[in-house]
Amino acid sequence: MKYWSLTETDIDRIAIGCGILGTGGGGSTYHASLRAKALLREGKRIRMVRPADMAPDAQIIGIGGIGAPTVGIEKIAEGAEGVRLLHALEHHMGRKIDALLGDEVGGGNGLSPMLTAAMVDLPVVDADGMGRAFPEVQMTTFFIHGQPVQPAALADADGNVLIVTEATTPKMLEKLLRASTIAMGCTALMTTAPMSGEFVRRFGVPHTTSQAWTLGDAVLNARAAKEDPVEAIMRQSGGVRLMRGKVTDIARRISAGFNRGTLTVAGLDEDAGRTIAIEIQNEYLIAREGEEIITMVPDLICIVDSETGRAIGTEELRYGLRIDVLSMPAPVLLRSDIALESVGPRAFGYDFDFVPVGISADAPPVPHYREDA
């Protein structure tokens, strides 16, 4: 089988790209990247595998954080939550798990499965269920296309582990896990039910870790060449710049286990005189200019530092930040009619239909995969 064995420089690139794809959420890439590098220095290995190379009957689980990013950046994970989740699920099922992946590639959740995989020496599949980050558990291409609802599991930094053995719907699973996360202090690590290799090949968003790497590589190359990293992000992603501006207001609160609020950005330079408002539920959901909605979920709204191209999460927003607001096309699987029922604007309570920006295209794998016994 071909693997891509990650190095510390790969982690740097993936962390930058996951931050961009996080659309404001998904947790801190800083903490996750430090932990990943520490594991590599201990002699552990992090191996990526392409979804096409997984056996059809392989058992794969998604691992990632759940809760409010504002809490997660202050309440640092203990580190072994994923191992406890994995062992609890394997004990419940009576069989081993063959590989891990991230339910979402965005933010720290794009790196999260790598940490557990390194500790137990399992591969990580180069795919996820969002191609970005979303605030709710059921908002994945996996659940949209019939992933089983149970068993699922939740673990916190204090050693508590919860296994959900019955849930009536993916939405009910979200409610159960969200309520339990609040009891655990508004941040925890979760896993959903195992999926087969064939199921992940059909319904996963392919090569999203590769996509994160190429975005990060574009940013670092632009910085080294003293070029505009934001332009490099747009060239690599097929995205467009909605505005270059300054944060003039941020109304943010923690409600029901989510970061919620509204961000206001005033235009600078050629955008002077313009103002856009961005609505938040862990992630950036819609952008308005006056009464006009200029981009919306599931397309990506990404906010990056105007000088460095570094992604800025909802928990980092503050008055005066100079930012670029970008929009990128959502993955192909998120733009179907069935997917829009779960991740389109109406799924978030808005009374309008999805209008796409740009053309969707699946990312190719990076050329770093090699035969490895």
Side-chain angles (χ1 to χ4, degrees), residues 179-254:
S180 300
T181 300
I182 293 171
M184 291 176 172
C186 276
T187 181
L189 198 71
M190 59 163 282
T191 179
T192 51
M195 300 169 283
S196 70
E198 174 64 21
F199 185 86
V200 170
R201 282 206 297 268
R202 293 180 61 195
F203 301 121
V205 183
H207 311 130
T208 45
T209 304
S210 290
Q211 182 184 14
W213 189 96
T214 56
L215 282 169
D217 189 57
V219 168
L220 291 178
N221 288 338
R223 291 178 189 171
K226 300 190 184 306
E227 298 174 350
D228 184 352
V230 181
E231 292 287 347
I233 292 169
M234 291 189 291
R235 285 195 302 270
Q236 183 62 47
S237 68
V240 296
R241 188 186 344 241
L242 301 179
M243 177 182 284
R244 172 161 286 181
K246 178 180 77 170
V247 175
T248 57
D249 189 41
I250 172 65
R252 182 175 48 205
R253 67 192 187 280
I254 297 175

Side-chain angles (χ1 to χ4, degrees), residues 17-211:
C18 285
I20 295 166
L21 295 173
T23 58
S28 169
T29 60
Y30 178 68
H31 291 157
S33 63
L34 288 180
R35 290 175 60 206
K37 290 180 181 180
L39 288 165
L40 291 176
R41 290 169 190 170
E42 291 172 10
K44 304 290 195 300
R45 58 181 183 173
I46 302 174
R47 298 173 301 152
M48 305 299 302
V49 60
R50 298 174 299 189
D53 291 336
M54 291 301 300
D57 61 348
Q59 291 292 289
I60 303 165
I61 61 169
I63 283 182
I66 178 174
T70 302
V71 177
I73 204 169
E74 297 177 358
K75 189 174 184 286
I76 299 173
E78 177 267 337
E81 292 93 333
V83 176
R84 292 194 290 273
L85 282 179
L86 178 66
H87 290 165
L89 209 59
E90 288 180 333
H91 178 75
H92 174 77
M93 295 166 49
R95 68 149 295 167
K96 293 290 187 180
I97 296 299
D98 300 305
L100 308 180
L101 54 68
D103 278 329
E104 63 181 18
V105 72
N109 277 341
L111 296 163
S112 184
M114 299 175 188
L115 309 179
T116 300
M119 288 186 274
V120 297
D121 199 27
L122 285 177
V124 181
V125 183
D126 191 354
D128 80 310
M130 297 183 184
R132 48 163 297 158
F134 280 124
E136 298 186 12
V137 170
Q138 80 281 3
M139 294 176 171
T140 69
T141 55
F142 303 131
F143 277 127
I144 288 166
H145 292 282
Q147 179 187 5
V149 178
Q150 61 269 329
L154 193 70
D156 68 5
D158 297 322
N160 298 299
V161 179
L162 170 74
I163 296 180
V164 178
T165 59
E166 294 292 338
T168 53
T169 65
K171 182 66 175 176
M172 179 53 70
L173 179 64
E174 152 68 26
K175 292 179 180 179
L176 294 172
L177 294 179
R178 187 71 50 181
S180 300
T181 300
I182 293 171
M184 291 176 172
C186 276
T187 181
L189 198 71
M190 59 163 282
T191 179
T192 51
M195 300 169 283
S196 70
E198 174 64 21
F199 185 86
V200 170
R201 282 206 297 268
R202 293 180 61 195
F203 301 121
V205 183
H207 311 130
T208 45
T209 304
S210 290
Q211 182 184 14

